[in-house]
Amino acid sequence: MASVEELCLSKLTIDAVEILVEKGITSIPEKFIRPPEERFTSPTPSEDVEEQVPVIDLEGLNCCEGSIEREKVLKQLAYACENWGFFQIVNHGIPESLMEAMMNVGKAFFALSVEEKQAYAALPGLIMQGYGSKYIAREGATRDWRDYIYLLLQPHSIRDYDYWPSDPSDFREVVHNYSEEALKLAKRLMGAFSLNLGLPQNYLETFIVQPYQNMLINYYPPCPEPELTAGFYAHSDIGMATLLLQETGSKALQIRKIDKWVPVVAASGALLVNIADQVEIISNGRYKSIEHRVVADKDKPRISIPVFCDAAPHAIIKPAPELLESRMNDEAAKVEEMKENPNYSTIVFKNHEIAFYTDGANSKKYVQSYMVQA
Ligand code: OGA
Ligand code: NI
């Protein structure tokens, strides 16, 4: 165990990628270089509408139950969840001014000097709040070309305000307000997913005991050799769903669509939503948590702000029994016998989280390891 002195010392030495960039390096250190088979060949955004992540207007979700408008949105969401696992949403209820303020406080924090940011440095260890850069704990894991600040937000009792920057001065207020709005939105989406899966509206929310929420502000500095590394290597998100705020027009995020990587072009005023591992398991694989990755860029820095809607740490995650039972009663499902069985074993959310942060480099291997062999 590290001594207090060691902890104090290490608190001051986040190995930020930004420091390398400030030094003006022209080639990247070994620890960021991926083996050739893990490097990104850069796809150009497809013009084909069929190849674009759906953009869904959520306005109709406010209409009364059974209304045509609401049913239409639910159908669009069901299609996106079943066929993409990713979609953008507009008219989602988070005011554009708050999204802008959130992006601005993220930018203002990363505009501080590295020394100023070190005041919020995360302590060494797994899943620690604060400013950091080394995400995956395994020694020797290839590093991503990325720095971040990680904050636990909901329930309020998990917040540690020591790690909430006081500069810019509105950081705390904006993050608090954004967190509250994102929680409301995540609950509405959980409600829609539940209904679309044939479950009561509050099913997913109750199943995970209590929604937990955390936020990353990712900072991707410009990279002198982007083709050799990754902004964020391929992974699937571990919680229930993620709401990602990014700048309009950004194309850095790519998602896996069968055997291709498809870039997402950020739409104006939109948030990008993705299904994460817990929903894949609870839905018994009807909705898939899709792998995604971020390319590093030679010239421009990029900020992205995902809010993760997770399960309570002690939540037991398994395929929804109701779903299995209702399929058993379904004559059509009886024919396809495999679908009546749980496709995933039971896990505790916290263990999944620890596994990911210990050795997350190999993206979906944990979810695959929970799959019940036929
Ligand atoms: C993540 C993530 C994507 C991005 O933080 O889990 O996938 O665009 N981020 O930064
Ligand atoms: Ni992700």
Side-chain angles (χ1 to χ4, degrees), residues 135 146 216 218 220 232 235 237 244 246 253 292 294 302 304 306 308:
Y135 205 51
R146 176 180 71 112
L216 271 178
N218 290 312
Y220 300 94
F232 201 148
H235 64 284
D237 293 348
L244 183 95
Q246 55 178 338
L253 177 68
H292 50 286
V294 177
R302 171 172 178 261
S304 74
F308 302 99

Side-chain angles (χ1 to χ4, degrees), residues 73-368:
V73 180
L74 286 172
K75 273 215 179 79
Q76 289 172 332
L77 288 171
Y79 178 85
C81 291
E82 281 166 28
N83 295 286
W84 283 90
F86 264 87
F87 49 93
Q88 301 195 68
I89 49 174
V90 292
N91 288 321
H92 40 61
I94 303 190
E96 280 201 33
S97 56
L98 184 55
M99 290 166 66
E100 224 174 275
M102 186 59 239
M103 185 51 85
N104 286 340
V105 297
K107 282 185 182 169
F109 175 67
F110 277 97
L112 299 178
S113 69
V114 172
E115 289 67 36
E116 286 168 301
K117 289 192 285 265
Q118 299 275 15
Y120 304 98
L123 288 170
L126 278 187
I127 330 169
M128 302 303 277
Q129 298 190 66
Y131 174 55
S133 186
K134 190 167 180 275
Y135 205 51
I136 301 302
R138 178 169 57 82
E139 266 322 304
T142 310
R143 292 267 310 270
D144 286 334
W145 197 261
R146 176 180 71 112
D147 299 329
Y148 58 82
I149 182 165
Y150 176 61
L151 299 173
L152 304 180
L153 301 180
Q154 303 275 358
H156 293 182
S157 57
I158 64 175
R159 294 182 180 183
D160 185 343
Y161 290 107
D162 285 351
Y163 291 96
W164 291 43
S166 52
D167 190 358
S169 58
D170 56 346
F171 185 99
R172 294 175 184 202
E173 184 191 344
V174 170
V175 170
H176 170 78
N177 292 339
Y178 190 80
S179 164
E180 299 294 294
E181 290 298 325
L183 183 64
K184 278 193 254 166
L185 174 57
K187 287 183 180 183
R188 287 171 72 213
L189 288 170
M190 290 300 137
F193 297 165
S194 301
L195 291 173
N196 280 338
L197 288 166
L199 299 163
Q201 186 160 343
N202 66 353
Y203 190 91
L204 285 173
E205 195 182 329
T206 317
F207 198 85
I208 60 169
V209 184
Q210 182 182 9
Y212 270 54
Q213 186 200 67
N214 46 75
M215 169 188 277
L216 271 178
I217 305 179
N218 290 312
Y219 175 65
Y220 300 94
C223 177
E225 295 181 297
E227 62 288 349
L228 299 183
T229 188
F232 201 148
Y233 191 60
H235 64 284
S236 61
D237 293 348
I238 59 174
M240 295 289 284
T242 307
L243 308 173
L244 183 95
L245 172 64
Q246 55 178 338
E247 287 197 292
T248 304
S250 171
K251 297 175 191 148
L253 177 68
Q254 303 176 348
I255 69 167
R256 191 197 280 284
K257 183 107 171 92
I258 311 171
D259 55 353
K260 284 196 284 204
W261 288 96
V262 178
V264 174
V265 184
S268 171
L271 289 164
L272 180 67
V273 181
N274 63 286
I275 299 292
D277 296 345
Q278 308 312 306
V279 171
E280 173 169 337
I281 296 169
I282 298 168
S283 73
N284 203 31
R286 251 215 256 178
Y287 293 173
K288 295 282 190 311
S289 165
I290 298 297
E291 275 178 90
H292 50 286
R293 64 185 194 180
V294 177
V295 289
D297 191 283
K298 195 159 179 80
D299 307 308
K300 295 183 305 290
R302 171 172 178 261
I303 297 235
S304 74
I305 309 181
V307 164
F308 302 99
C309 178
D310 286 356
H314 57 289
I316 308 273
I317 306 294
K318 60 182 179 185
E322 289 81 349
L323 217 51
L324 304 178
E325 279 159 25
S326 74
R327 282 187 182 180
M328 299 243 225
N329 294 333
D330 178 337
E331 282 304 315
K334 267 187 200 155
V335 181
E336 284 183 79
E337 232 177 64
M338 263 308 296
K339 287 193 180 165
E340 296 173 10
N341 298 324
N343 294 327
Y344 302 82
S345 49
T346 300
I347 59 161
V348 176
F349 178 62
K350 188 73 194 169
N351 293 343
H352 180 53
E353 191 180 31
I354 291 171
F356 177 84
Y357 286 101
T358 306
D359 186 17
N362 203 351
S363 53
K364 281 203 75 168
K365 78 174 174 192
Y366 302 107
V367 178
Q368 275 150 10

